[in-house]
Amino acid sequence: MDVNDPSENKDCSPPLSLLNGRWAGRIRLVVLAVFAALTGYGIYVLVTHDWQDVAAFWLTRRRLLLAGFMLASLDVFTDGLVWNGILRQHGIRLGPVRGLLLFLSGYAGHFMPVQLGRFFRATELSRLYGVSLATATKAEITLLAFIMITSVAVFCGAFLWPWLFALSFAVPLVLTAMALFVLGFLFRWIRGLSVQLPEGYLRRPSTLVLCMVTGIGWFINGCILFLIFRGVNEALQIHHAIMIMTSNLFIGVVSGLPGGLGITESYIGGMMYWLSTPPEHLVIAVAAFRILTFWLWIPIGWIALLLNGLLYGRNKGSRKPE
């Protein structure tokens, strides 16, 4: 048998894509099993506790919840700023009102699995404003790449927080710059990817700034989580909250569930229980966090989507970006 003959070897081992699919399926099953176990424990807590004192405790914390909403709005504003900056790098300039409405409309797709809701916004940009779907999708992929890069970088910084406080702020910046440099170098040698981005895009100072601004969102989300749980867990530190939030992204993506629905609540609840949060407060505290950072933005997204279609739809003259 000729070992160099592909026809002789094609059935000897499964394709790499099949192996990857099997591993992804097994990882997803493990994640879902953990989710089921934590959910069962949550149901047990719901059934066995008296919630009157807990509800009274949270009713006195309305100002804290308002502060959490303001921080969540700042996080959305930061993402919108980066998204608009990426579009400008591709020569797309939207007016402030329609740009805001279009960005917020992406939150209407929160229920789509594996971050696919972001690409709903790309189709709207293409449909309403005549932007190439490839370019609109490219902007969303770039933003998602920035989010993933900074999640790892900020996690590393938060991990170092207790021991090397000064470096904990420098490390995310250095790791973000290194990641963009390495990706820029690799893209030059991967045929098909190098032509998808402008020449030297990942090495531009403006790209580095946008990616670093994306990392601010992780710090903001960590602050929201810290504010909500600090009152029921005095041992909680800000770097704990940031590490939970940054690692949560990958847990949600691996699960494949729309918006990380269920798995995010279970993961945050499990981490907070591990950090000795009283079980009777877990459900309400996690629910408050998810309302501020997830559920509340779905109706806002649908309102923005409706207004965008009414004010700037093709029936209004097929307006294009400036």
Side-chain angles (χ1 to χ4, degrees), residues 279-291:
E280 62 269 20
H281 285 281
L282 278 177
V283 174
I284 293 181
V286 172
F289 175 79
R290 286 291 277 172
I291 288 171

Side-chain angles (χ1 to χ4, degrees), residues 244-279:
I244 291 172
M245 289 313 306
T246 49
S247 58
N248 173 67
L249 170 68
F250 295 95
I251 296 296
V253 171
V254 167
S255 73
L257 296 171
L261 191 60
I263 192 65
T264 295
E265 290 82 355
S266 296
Y267 177 71
I268 294 175
M271 290 294 99
M272 288 301 175
Y273 179 74
W274 181 63
L275 291 170
S276 302
T277 300

Side-chain angles (χ1 to χ4, degrees), residues 124-177:
E124 287 297 287
L125 180 61
S126 177
R127 182 180 69 86
L128 295 176
Y129 304 119
V131 175
S132 165
L133 182 59
T135 300
T137 303
K138 193 186 307 180
E140 296 294 342
I141 293 176
T142 302
L143 176 58
L144 183 57
F146 286 176
I147 291 173
M148 299 186 74
I149 289 171
T150 54
S151 69
V152 176
V154 173
F155 178 91
C156 292
F159 181 78
L160 293 174
W161 188 302
W163 303 285
L164 301 168
F165 181 74
L167 283 179
S168 66
F169 290 93
V171 165
L173 303 180
V174 173
L175 290 180
T176 299

Side-chain angles (χ1 to χ4, degrees), residues 35 45 47 52 94 112 138 153 184 230 240 244 257 262 289:
F35 158 60
V45 171
V47 172
Q52 292 183 356
L94 300 175
M112 296 181 69
K138 193 186 307 180
R230 181 62 174 175
H240 295 148
I244 291 172
L257 296 171
F289 175 79

Side-chain angles (χ1 to χ4, degrees), residues 221-229 236 241 244-245 268 272 289:
N221 275 274
C223 287
I224 299 172
L225 193 66
F226 177 76
L227 279 177
I228 290 176
F229 276 90
L236 181 67
I244 291 172
M245 289 313 306
I268 294 175
M272 288 301 175
F289 175 79

Side-chain angles (χ1 to χ4, degrees), residues 33-49:
V34 174
F35 158 60
L38 292 173
T39 300
Y41 177 76
I43 294 174
Y44 170 77
V45 171
L46 281 173
V47 172
T48 58
H49 279 85

Side-chain angles (χ1 to χ4, degrees), residues 87-101:
L87 289 179
R88 284 176 172 267
Q89 287 181 317
H90 289 85
I92 303 170
R93 298 179 180 271
L94 300 175
V97 176
R98 56 180 173 173
L100 174 64
L101 291 176

Side-chain angles (χ1 to χ4, degrees), residues 61-83:
R61 301 172 68 81
R62 291 188 294 271
R63 290 185 179 179
L64 182 146
L65 297 177
L66 177 60
F69 171 72
M70 298 301 293
L71 284 173
S73 300
L74 180 60
D75 175 42
V76 170
F77 173 79
T78 302
D79 274 355
L81 190 67
V82 174
W83 176 77

